[in-house]
PDB file of all heavy atoms in Angstrom:
ATOM      1  N   THR A  18     -55.479  48.870  44.189  1.00 95.00           N
ATOM      2  CA  THR A  18     -54.010  48.443  44.010  1.00 95.00           C
ATOM      3  C   THR A  18     -53.235  49.658  44.062  1.00 95.00           C
ATOM      4  O   THR A  18     -52.960  50.349  42.994  1.00 95.00           O
ATOM      5  CB  THR A  18     -53.861  47.696  42.626  1.00 95.00           C
ATOM      6  OG1 THR A  18     -54.527  48.461  41.614  1.00 95.00           O
ATOM      7  CG2 THR A  18     -54.607  46.339  42.712  1.00 95.00           C
ATOM      8  N   TRP A  22     -48.549  53.867  42.701  1.00 97.00           N
ATOM      9  CA  TRP A  22     -48.386  55.162  43.279  1.00 97.00           C
ATOM     10  C   TRP A  22     -47.489  55.154  44.475  1.00 97.00           C
ATOM     11  O   TRP A  22     -46.765  56.088  44.690  1.00 97.00           O
ATOM     12  CB  TRP A  22     -49.769  55.633  43.735  1.00 97.00           C
ATOM     13  CG  TRP A  22     -50.721  55.829  42.597  1.00 97.00           C
ATOM     14  CD1 TRP A  22     -50.406  56.399  41.411  1.00 97.00           C
ATOM     15  CD2 TRP A  22     -52.149  55.439  42.551  1.00 97.00           C
ATOM     16  NE1 TRP A  22     -51.505  56.246  40.426  1.00 97.00           N
ATOM     17  CE2 TRP A  22     -52.550  55.803  41.218  1.00 97.00           C
ATOM     18  CE3 TRP A  22     -52.976  54.797  43.373  1.00 97.00           C
ATOM     19  CZ2 TRP A  22     -53.915  55.516  40.751  1.00 97.00           C
ATOM     20  CZ3 TRP A  22     -54.314  54.527  42.962  1.00 97.00           C
ATOM     21  CH2 TRP A  22     -54.770  54.923  41.647  1.00 97.00           C
ATOM     22  N   VAL A  23     -47.389  53.942  45.284  1.00 97.00           N
ATOM     23  CA  VAL A  23     -46.402  53.978  46.251  1.00 97.00           C
ATOM     24  C   VAL A  23     -45.011  53.921  45.761  1.00 97.00           C
ATOM     25  O   VAL A  23     -44.070  54.595  46.444  1.00 97.00           O
ATOM     26  CB  VAL A  23     -46.732  52.595  47.062  1.00 97.00           C
ATOM     27  CG1 VAL A  23     -45.578  52.339  48.022  1.00 97.00           C
ATOM     28  CG2 VAL A  23     -48.033  52.606  47.745  1.00 97.00           C
ATOM     29  N   ARG A  29     -39.882  59.907  44.829  1.00 96.00           N
ATOM     30  CA  ARG A  29     -39.962  61.345  44.971  1.00 96.00           C
ATOM     31  C   ARG A  29     -39.671  61.834  46.481  1.00 96.00           C
ATOM     32  O   ARG A  29     -39.108  62.864  46.620  1.00 96.00           O
ATOM     33  CB  ARG A  29     -41.304  61.880  44.491  1.00 96.00           C
ATOM     34  CG  ARG A  29     -41.480  61.672  42.996  1.00 96.00           C
ATOM     35  CD  ARG A  29     -42.766  62.487  42.527  1.00 96.00           C
ATOM     36  NE  ARG A  29     -43.077  62.146  41.166  1.00 96.00           N
ATOM     37  CZ  ARG A  29     -44.095  62.622  40.477  1.00 96.00           C
ATOM     38  NH1 ARG A  29     -44.961  63.497  41.171  1.00 96.00           N
ATOM     39  NH2 ARG A  29     -44.351  62.290  39.213  1.00 96.00           N
ATOM     40  N   LEU A  35     -44.098  55.715  53.688  1.00 98.00           N
ATOM     41  CA  LEU A  35     -45.432  55.530  53.319  1.00 98.00           C
ATOM     42  C   LEU A  35     -45.846  54.215  53.946  1.00 98.00           C
ATOM     43  O   LEU A  35     -45.414  53.134  53.542  1.00 98.00           O
ATOM     44  CB  LEU A  35     -45.639  55.591  51.758  1.00 98.00           C
ATOM     45  CG  LEU A  35     -47.158  55.708  51.472  1.00 98.00           C
ATOM     46  CD1 LEU A  35     -47.373  56.347  50.109  1.00 98.00           C
ATOM     47  CD2 LEU A  35     -47.827  54.237  51.322  1.00 98.00           C
ATOM     48  N   GLU A  36     -46.820  54.222  54.810  1.00 98.00           N
ATOM     49  CA  GLU A  36     -47.423  53.005  55.512  1.00 98.00           C
ATOM     50  C   GLU A  36     -48.743  52.744  54.794  1.00 98.00           C
ATOM     51  O   GLU A  36     -49.657  53.603  54.829  1.00 98.00           O
ATOM     52  CB  GLU A  36     -47.502  53.192  56.863  1.00 98.00           C
ATOM     53  CG  GLU A  36     -48.104  52.032  57.673  1.00 98.00           C
ATOM     54  CD  GLU A  36     -48.328  52.238  59.094  1.00 98.00           C
ATOM     55  OE1 GLU A  36     -47.921  53.357  59.605  1.00 98.00           O
ATOM     56  OE2 GLU A  36     -48.997  51.494  59.826  1.00 98.00           O
ATOM     57  N   GLU A  76     -65.193  50.393  38.115  1.00 98.00           N
ATOM     58  CA  GLU A  76     -64.923  49.048  37.836  1.00 98.00           C
ATOM     59  C   GLU A  76     -65.980  48.421  36.929  1.00 98.00           C
ATOM     60  O   GLU A  76     -67.143  48.686  37.008  1.00 98.00           O
ATOM     61  CB  GLU A  76     -64.648  48.208  39.120  1.00 98.00           C
ATOM     62  CG  GLU A  76     -63.536  48.679  39.893  1.00 98.00           C
ATOM     63  CD  GLU A  76     -63.024  47.483  40.751  1.00 98.00           C
ATOM     64  OE1 GLU A  76     -62.800  46.401  40.369  1.00 98.00           O
ATOM     65  OE2 GLU A  76     -62.942  47.816  42.052  1.00 98.00           O
ATOM     66  N   THR A  78     -68.332  45.287  36.399  1.00 98.00           N
ATOM     67  CA  THR A  78     -69.048  44.289  37.307  1.00 98.00           C
ATOM     68  C   THR A  78     -69.043  43.021  36.633  1.00 98.00           C
ATOM     69  O   THR A  78     -69.248  42.890  35.433  1.00 98.00           O
ATOM     70  CB  THR A  78     -70.443  44.748  37.564  1.00 98.00           C
ATOM     71  OG1 THR A  78     -70.425  46.072  38.172  1.00 98.00           O
ATOM     72  CG2 THR A  78     -71.175  43.812  38.494  1.00 98.00           C
ATOM     73  N   PRO A  83     -68.882  28.672  38.776  1.00 98.00           N
ATOM     74  CA  PRO A  83     -68.043  27.459  38.599  1.00 98.00           C
ATOM     75  C   PRO A  83     -67.282  27.520  37.187  1.00 98.00           C
ATOM     76  O   PRO A  83     -67.971  27.870  36.205  1.00 98.00           O
ATOM     77  CB  PRO A  83     -68.851  26.292  38.945  1.00 98.00           C
ATOM     78  CG  PRO A  83     -70.014  26.885  39.687  1.00 98.00           C
ATOM     79  CD  PRO A  83     -70.280  28.268  39.067  1.00 98.00           C
ATOM     80  N   ASP A  85     -67.011  25.107  35.079  1.00 95.00           N
ATOM     81  CA  ASP A  85     -67.707  24.479  33.992  1.00 95.00           C
ATOM     82  C   ASP A  85     -69.188  25.017  33.815  1.00 95.00           C
ATOM     83  O   ASP A  85     -69.986  24.343  33.216  1.00 95.00           O
ATOM     84  CB  ASP A  85     -67.796  22.967  34.350  1.00 95.00           C
ATOM     85  CG  ASP A  85     -68.387  22.649  35.710  1.00 95.00           C
ATOM     86  OD1 ASP A  85     -68.792  23.696  36.464  1.00 95.00           O
ATOM     87  OD2 ASP A  85     -68.555  21.407  36.017  1.00 95.00           O
ATOM     88  N   PRO A 121     -82.491  34.224  45.885  1.00 94.00           N
ATOM     89  CA  PRO A 121     -81.621  34.409  47.171  1.00 94.00           C
ATOM     90  C   PRO A 121     -81.199  33.145  47.749  1.00 94.00           C
ATOM     91  O   PRO A 121     -81.956  32.176  47.768  1.00 94.00           O
ATOM     92  CB  PRO A 121     -82.578  35.307  48.056  1.00 94.00           C
ATOM     93  CG  PRO A 121     -83.949  34.886  47.654  1.00 94.00           C
ATOM     94  CD  PRO A 121     -83.954  34.556  46.111  1.00 94.00           C
ATOM     95  N   ALA A 132     -67.945  33.773  50.071  1.00 98.00           N
ATOM     96  CA  ALA A 132     -68.906  33.565  48.966  1.00 98.00           C
ATOM     97  C   ALA A 132     -68.130  32.896  47.750  1.00 98.00           C
ATOM     98  O   ALA A 132     -68.678  31.993  47.092  1.00 98.00           O
ATOM     99  CB  ALA A 132     -69.467  34.890  48.532  1.00 98.00           C
ATOM    100  N   LEU A 135     -68.093  29.262  48.178  1.00 98.00           N
ATOM    101  CA  LEU A 135     -69.367  28.671  47.967  1.00 98.00           C
ATOM    102  C   LEU A 135     -69.611  28.482  46.448  1.00 98.00           C
ATOM    103  O   LEU A 135     -70.310  27.554  46.058  1.00 98.00           O
ATOM    104  CB  LEU A 135     -70.460  29.404  48.609  1.00 98.00           C
ATOM    105  CG  LEU A 135     -70.461  29.506  50.162  1.00 98.00           C
ATOM    106  CD1 LEU A 135     -71.483  30.361  50.699  1.00 98.00           C
ATOM    107  CD2 LEU A 135     -70.511  27.973  50.757  1.00 98.00           C
ATOM    108  N   LEU A 152     -58.886  39.346  43.074  1.00 97.00           N
ATOM    109  CA  LEU A 152     -58.286  39.242  44.344  1.00 97.00           C
ATOM    110  C   LEU A 152     -58.471  37.728  44.937  1.00 97.00           C
ATOM    111  O   LEU A 152     -57.612  37.257  45.502  1.00 97.00           O
ATOM    112  CB  LEU A 152     -58.879  40.262  45.309  1.00 97.00           C
ATOM    113  CG  LEU A 152     -58.370  40.262  46.813  1.00 97.00           C
ATOM    114  CD1 LEU A 152     -56.899  40.557  46.743  1.00 97.00           C
ATOM    115  CD2 LEU A 152     -59.122  41.188  47.579  1.00 97.00           C
ATOM    116  N   VAL A 158     -62.982  28.403  39.572  1.00 98.00           N
ATOM    117  CA  VAL A 158     -64.025  29.348  39.239  1.00 98.00           C
ATOM    118  C   VAL A 158     -63.617  30.260  38.014  1.00 98.00           C
ATOM    119  O   VAL A 158     -62.436  30.253  37.719  1.00 98.00           O
ATOM    120  CB  VAL A 158     -64.379  30.258  40.475  1.00 98.00           C
ATOM    121  CG1 VAL A 158     -64.862  29.418  41.591  1.00 98.00           C
ATOM    122  CG2 VAL A 158     -63.182  31.194  40.828  1.00 98.00           C
ATOM    123  N   ARG A 179     -58.294  68.169  56.926  1.00 96.00           N
ATOM    124  CA  ARG A 179     -56.866  67.751  57.097  1.00 96.00           C
ATOM    125  C   ARG A 179     -56.281  67.544  55.829  1.00 96.00           C
ATOM    126  O   ARG A 179     -55.605  66.463  55.459  1.00 96.00           O
ATOM    127  CB  ARG A 179     -56.686  66.487  57.997  1.00 96.00           C
ATOM    128  CG  ARG A 179     -57.098  66.606  59.440  1.00 96.00           C
ATOM    129  CD  ARG A 179     -56.548  65.482  60.321  1.00 96.00           C
ATOM    130  NE  ARG A 179     -57.208  64.147  59.973  1.00 96.00           N
ATOM    131  CZ  ARG A 179     -58.285  63.757  60.525  1.00 96.00           C
ATOM    132  NH1 ARG A 179     -58.901  64.519  61.374  1.00 96.00           N
ATOM    133  NH2 ARG A 179     -58.751  62.616  60.121  1.00 96.00           N
ATOM    134  N   PHE A 187     -49.544  63.442  47.479  1.00 98.00           N
ATOM    135  CA  PHE A 187     -50.036  62.183  46.970  1.00 98.00           C
ATOM    136  C   PHE A 187     -51.167  62.432  45.883  1.00 98.00           C
ATOM    137  O   PHE A 187     -51.277  61.592  44.895  1.00 98.00           O
ATOM    138  CB  PHE A 187     -50.696  61.301  48.105  1.00 98.00           C
ATOM    139  CG  PHE A 187     -50.944  59.823  47.720  1.00 98.00           C
ATOM    140  CD1 PHE A 187     -49.852  58.952  47.676  1.00 98.00           C
ATOM    141  CD2 PHE A 187     -52.218  59.418  47.312  1.00 98.00           C
ATOM    142  CE1 PHE A 187     -50.115  57.604  47.215  1.00 98.00           C
ATOM    143  CE2 PHE A 187     -52.363  58.159  46.990  1.00 98.00           C
ATOM    144  CZ  PHE A 187     -51.344  57.225  46.932  1.00 98.00           C
ATOM    145  N   GLY A 189     -51.044  64.782  43.778  1.00 97.00           N
ATOM    146  CA  GLY A 189     -50.239  65.027  42.653  1.00 97.00           C
ATOM    147  C   GLY A 189     -49.775  63.828  41.867  1.00 97.00           C
ATOM    148  O   GLY A 189     -49.709  63.580  40.659  1.00 97.00           O
ATOM    149  N   VAL A 191     -51.225  60.729  42.106  1.00 96.00           N
ATOM    150  CA  VAL A 191     -52.410  60.029  41.566  1.00 96.00           C
ATOM    151  C   VAL A 191     -52.818  60.688  40.209  1.00 96.00           C
ATOM    152  O   VAL A 191     -53.157  59.980  39.350  1.00 96.00           O
ATOM    153  CB  VAL A 191     -53.435  59.907  42.602  1.00 96.00           C
ATOM    154  CG1 VAL A 191     -54.748  59.455  41.950  1.00 96.00           C
ATOM    155  CG2 VAL A 191     -53.103  59.058  43.716  1.00 96.00           C
ATOM    156  N   THR A 199     -46.275  72.210  39.812  1.00 50.00           N
ATOM    157  CA  THR A 199     -46.823  72.722  41.135  1.00 50.00           C
ATOM    158  C   THR A 199     -47.652  71.687  41.777  1.00 50.00           C
ATOM    159  O   THR A 199     -48.048  70.734  41.230  1.00 50.00           O
ATOM    160  CB  THR A 199     -47.549  74.002  40.959  1.00 50.00           C
ATOM    161  OG1 THR A 199     -48.771  73.696  40.115  1.00 50.00           O
ATOM    162  CG2 THR A 199     -46.760  75.235  40.315  1.00 50.00           C
ATOM    163  N   GLN A 208     -46.057  90.373  41.953  1.00 48.00           N
ATOM    164  CA  GLN A 208     -46.568  91.677  41.646  1.00 48.00           C
ATOM    165  C   GLN A 208     -45.547  92.524  41.028  1.00 48.00           C
ATOM    166  O   GLN A 208     -44.365  92.591  41.489  1.00 48.00           O
ATOM    167  CB  GLN A 208     -47.103  92.315  42.941  1.00 48.00           C
ATOM    168  CG  GLN A 208     -48.257  91.647  43.562  1.00 48.00           C
ATOM    169  CD  GLN A 208     -48.718  92.333  44.794  1.00 48.00           C
ATOM    170  OE1 GLN A 208     -48.174  93.364  45.302  1.00 48.00           O
ATOM    171  NE2 GLN A 208     -49.877  91.959  45.341  1.00 48.00           N
ATOM    172  N   ARG A 230     -31.814 134.139  15.674  1.00 52.00           N
ATOM    173  CA  ARG A 230     -31.700 134.558  17.037  1.00 52.00           C
ATOM    174  C   ARG A 230     -30.876 136.014  17.126  1.00 52.00           C
ATOM    175  O   ARG A 230     -29.756 136.025  16.498  1.00 52.00           O
ATOM    176  CB  ARG A 230     -30.969 133.575  17.916  1.00 52.00           C
ATOM    177  CG  ARG A 230     -30.954 133.934  19.300  1.00 52.00           C
ATOM    178  CD  ARG A 230     -30.328 132.848  20.102  1.00 52.00           C
ATOM    179  NE  ARG A 230     -30.400 133.163  21.570  1.00 52.00           N
ATOM    180  CZ  ARG A 230     -29.866 132.329  22.467  1.00 52.00           C
ATOM    181  NH1 ARG A 230     -29.372 131.187  22.106  1.00 52.00           N
ATOM    182  NH2 ARG A 230     -29.921 132.651  23.810  1.00 52.00           N
ATOM    183  N   LYS A 239     -21.512 159.141  21.370  1.00 56.00           N
ATOM    184  CA  LYS A 239     -20.773 159.916  20.542  1.00 56.00           C
ATOM    185  C   LYS A 239     -19.784 160.784  21.458  1.00 56.00           C
ATOM    186  O   LYS A 239     -20.226 161.395  22.389  1.00 56.00           O
ATOM    187  CB  LYS A 239     -21.597 160.906  19.676  1.00 56.00           C
ATOM    188  CG  LYS A 239     -22.421 160.088  18.590  1.00 56.00           C
ATOM    189  CD  LYS A 239     -23.179 161.072  17.895  1.00 56.00           C
ATOM    190  CE  LYS A 239     -24.104 160.294  16.820  1.00 56.00           C
ATOM    191  NZ  LYS A 239     -24.862 161.271  15.959  1.00 56.00           N
ATOM    192  N   PRO A 240     -18.532 161.053  21.014  1.00 56.00           N
ATOM    193  CA  PRO A 240     -17.645 161.880  21.752  1.00 56.00           C
ATOM    194  C   PRO A 240     -17.997 163.403  21.542  1.00 56.00           C
ATOM    195  O   PRO A 240     -18.408 163.774  20.559  1.00 56.00           O
ATOM    196  CB  PRO A 240     -16.197 161.597  21.072  1.00 56.00           C
ATOM    197  CG  PRO A 240     -16.457 161.132  19.714  1.00 56.00           C
ATOM    198  CD  PRO A 240     -17.844 160.350  19.792  1.00 56.00           C
TER     199      PRO A 240
END
Side-chain angles (χ1 to χ4, degrees):
T18 53
W22 298 318
V23 171
R29 296 187 184 180
L35 189 152
E36 177 186 353
E76 293 200 55
T78 301
D85 58 354
L135 294 176
L152 178 64
V158 300
R179 292 199 294 275
F187 195 79
V191 168
T199 60
Q208 294 183 353
R230 186 173 180 180
K239 295 182 179 180

